[in-house]
Amino acid sequence: SYVLTQPPSVSVAPGQTARITCGGNNIGSENVYWYQQKSGQAPVLAVYYDSDRPSEIPERFSGSNSGNTATLTISRVEAGDEADYYCQVFDTSSDHPGVVFGGGTKLTVL
Amino acid sequence: QVTLRESGPALVKPTQTLTLTCTFSGFSLSTSGMCVNWIRQPPGKALEWLAVIDWDDDKYYSTSLKTRLTISKDTSKNQVVLTMTNMDPVDTATYYCARISYYDSSGYGMDVWGQGTTVTVSS
C-alpha cells in the first residue's frame, strides 16, 4: 500500500517560514491534502488539491507538490500555528483503494 | 451548517465488538459525491484511516483492519455505523468521523470532522 513519510518535527521562530514535507512514490501525480490538528482538537482541512485553501485558512498557508515530495509552507509563522500537521492522499492505484495519512509533523514555534 | 457527531461506548472489554455511530446533519449521504469516513487516533499518535462509505454504498477499508471492520449507512436517519470486532487494548483511541464532499471544491479532502469519541479497551 502507499506510504507517506513526514518528518516528526519542525521548529521555526515566529515570523519565519516553516516547510513541512510529505514524501511518497511519485506523489506529484496524486492530489495531496493537509490537515492542522491543534492540541486536544479535531483535525482541520488546511490545504486541498495540493495548493488550494479553504476560505477560513489564512493566506500564509500554501502547498506545492512535485516529483516525490509535497510541501506545506507556512509563511510568517505565528504562535497559534503550533500544531500537528498531516498529509493525506486517496490511493486509487491499488487493489484496495483508500485514504492514506502521513505520520504527522509536530510544528514547534520557538 | 454541516455537523457530524460520534457516539458509542467509552469503555469496552477485550474481545468485545465496538459499535460506533456517526450522526450528521447539513447534507445527505444519498447525494452524489458524498462520503463519510472513520479515522482513529491512539493517544499521542498519528491519525489512522479506518473506512469510508459513499453515496452509492461503496465501501472501502483499511487493508490492515479490513477483517475486523464493517461500515454501513442509514440514509433516512443520517447515520453511518462502524463496527470493529475483537477489540484489544491497542485499539484504545479517539475515533472520528469526517465527511468528504467530492464534487464540491475540496475533492477527497475531509472538510468537516466530528469532535471525536474516546474509546478505552480494558478489562
Side-chain angles (χ1 to χ4, degrees):
Chain A
S1 61
Y2 199 74
V3 175
L4 296 175
T5 302
Q6 298 182 236
S9 63
V10 168
S11 299
V12 63
Q16 300 303 304
T17 297
R19 294 179 179 85
I20 299 172
T21 59
C22 177
N25 184 32
N26 197 26
I27 195 173
S29 67
E30 306 287 342
N31 291 310
V32 177
Y33 305 87
W34 289 93
Y35 300 88
Q36 177 192 64
Q37 186 181 31
K38 296 184 178 180
S39 180
Q41 299 182 17
V44 172
L45 181 64
V47 168
Y48 58 93
Y49 283 143
D50 297 342
S51 58
D52 291 338
R53 281 177 297 103
S55 57
E56 61 271 24
I57 300 299
E59 292 183 7
R60 300 183 295 104
F61 287 74
S62 62
S64 61
N65 185 18
S66 179
N68 293 317
T69 304
T71 303
L72 174 69
T73 301
I74 309 172
S75 305
R76 303 181 300 283
V77 166
E78 303 174 356
D81 299 330
E82 190 162 282
D84 294 324
Y85 292 86
Y86 295 90
C87 58
Q88 176 235 309
V89 301
F90 193 95
D91 178 19
T92 59
S93 61
S94 70
D95 291 339
H96 302 286
V99 172
V100 180
F101 286 106
T105 298
K106 181 176 181 59
L107 175 66
T108 299
V109 181
L110 301 171
Chain B
Q1 181 189 8
V2 174
T3 64
L4 301 96
R5 176 172 48 87
E6 306 87 352
S7 59
L11 178 67
V12 297
K13 297 184 186 306
T15 76
Q16 287 186 335
T17 294
L18 172 68
T19 299
L20 296 173
T21 301
C22 177
T23 303
F24 56 88
S25 64
F27 69 100
S28 172
L29 200 41
S30 61
T31 299
S32 183
M34 293 298 174
C35 312
V36 172
N37 296 264
W38 282 98
I39 305 99
R40 72 178 180 180
Q41 186 172 38
K45 296 190 176 181
L47 301 173
E48 179 183 19
W49 177 77
L50 301 177
V52 63
I53 189 167
D54 72 11
W55 74 99
D56 209 22
D57 209 34
D58 292 320
K59 304 161 188 175
Y60 301 104
Y61 297 98
S62 161
T63 302
S64 61
L65 291 168
K66 65 179 301 184
T67 60
R68 299 173 54 203
L69 296 173
T70 303
I71 192 169
S72 62
K73 64 183 173 77
D74 185 332
T75 304
S76 65
K77 293 183 178 179
N78 282 351
Q79 291 181 333
V80 170
V81 174
L82 181 77
T83 62
M84 180 180 292
T85 61
N86 194 25
M87 293 292 286
D88 183 271
V90 300
D91 297 314
T92 294
T94 297
Y95 287 76
Y96 296 99
C97 59
R99 183 187 81 157
I100 286 174
S101 179
Y102 182 74
Y103 292 121
D104 287 342
S105 57
S106 55
Y108 282 122
M110 300 180 198
D111 63 343
V112 186
W113 292 63
Q115 64 185 14
T117 187
T118 300
V119 178
T120 300
V121 184
S122 175
S123 55

